[in-house]
Amino acid sequence: MKDKDGNELSTVQVAGKVGNRVKNVGLETGVFLLHLAGLIPSHTLRKLFYRLGGVKIGRGSTIHMNAVFYDPTNVKIGHDSIVGEKTVLDGRASLVIGDHVDIASEVMIYTSQHDVHDPQFAAISKPVVIKDYVFIGPRAIIIPGVVIGKGAVVAAGAVVTKDVDDYAIVAGVPARQIGERKAKELNYRLGRPRLFR
């Protein structure tokens, strides 16, 4: 048997490739089932299925309908956080979302991307950390390896390619700091999620 580049493979290498394929099929099946769970118009039932799928969800947090997961087992969400509709949560590397975080609809958070300079187009995976009291506006994109500081605000449509300081307000493509949040002693709760979302 040969690999995609035409190199002969040993029996051990073939067994390893078969094992990886079986593992990937299992992961993809689980991700598909979570996609179906994302269509259920009940926060309680969705959370149950997401937790069974490996997502760690803190007390009082919710994920609105149609979330997309690439690997749920590395996604951790703190307490009292809300993730909006159609958000991409990429857990191929660690994705940690803190407490009281408000993520708007259609935000894309990636922990893995291809190295465009590598001749093999290899994947680069880096963790993403979103600290407490962060607000991320609709359709923002977070790139692998980014840390978003406590209380920071990411404007709608921003593409965050580097770390964001605590309480900073960032916007644009690529995102750059345009201001700073005035309140530094944040202590609010996000409250109850809307029904059927």
Side-chain angles (χ1 to χ4, degrees):
M1 182 175 248
K2 296 180 180 183
D3 67 9
K4 65 182 180 181
D5 298 321
N7 300 317
E8 287 292 331
L9 296 174
S10 69
T11 305
V12 172
Q13 290 171 318
V14 170
K17 286 193 173 289
V18 169
N20 278 340
R21 180 56 58 118
V22 169
K23 178 183 169 188
N24 285 333
V25 168
L27 174 62
E28 290 169 9
T29 302
V31 167
F32 174 71
L33 293 174
L34 288 183
H35 171 73
L36 294 179
L39 301 173
I40 299 171
S42 164
H43 293 285
T44 304
L45 287 177
R46 275 198 313 277
K47 271 202 286 194
L48 171 67
F49 287 115
Y50 290 155
R51 285 177 172 149
L52 289 172
V55 181
K56 292 143 200 88
I57 305 173
R59 184 181 68 256
S61 291
T62 194
I63 301 171
H64 287 291
M65 293 177 67
N66 298 309
V68 174
F69 296 91
Y70 291 158
D71 186 340
T73 60
N74 292 319
V75 177
K76 181 179 180 186
I77 301 170
H79 303 297
D80 183 48
S81 290
I82 296 177
V83 176
E85 296 97 342
K86 300 179 183 176
T87 295
V88 173
L89 300 172
D90 180 358
R92 290 176 287 183
S94 173
L95 170 55
V96 177
I97 298 169
D99 300 334
H100 315 289
V101 173
D102 188 356
I103 298 175
S105 299
E106 299 183 28
V107 169
M108 294 180 274
I109 305 169
Y110 292 102
T111 62
S112 188
Q113 64 185 358
H114 288 284
D115 181 353
V116 297
H117 302 294
D118 183 282
Q120 299 298 319
F121 202 47
I124 302 171
S125 297
K126 295 179 183 175
V128 170
V129 176
I130 299 170
K131 296 188 178 179
D132 300 345
Y133 294 105
V134 167
F135 171 68
I136 302 176
R139 295 190 173 178
I141 300 173
I142 313 300
I143 298 300
V146 167
V147 175
I148 300 179
K150 180 178 179 179
V153 175
V154 176
V159 177
V160 182
T161 60
K162 61 183 181 179
D163 292 354
V164 176
D165 292 337
D166 292 353
Y167 307 104
I169 301 172
V170 299
V173 180
R176 62 178 180 79
Q177 187 166 341
I178 60 168
E180 187 172 312
R181 209 164 175 180
K182 293 178 183 174
K184 302 289 193 285
E185 300 298 322
L186 303 173
N187 61 5
Y188 56 81
R189 293 185 57 78
L190 294 174
R192 178 180 69 76
R194 294 180 182 262
L195 292 174
F196 311 116
R197 288 182 74 187

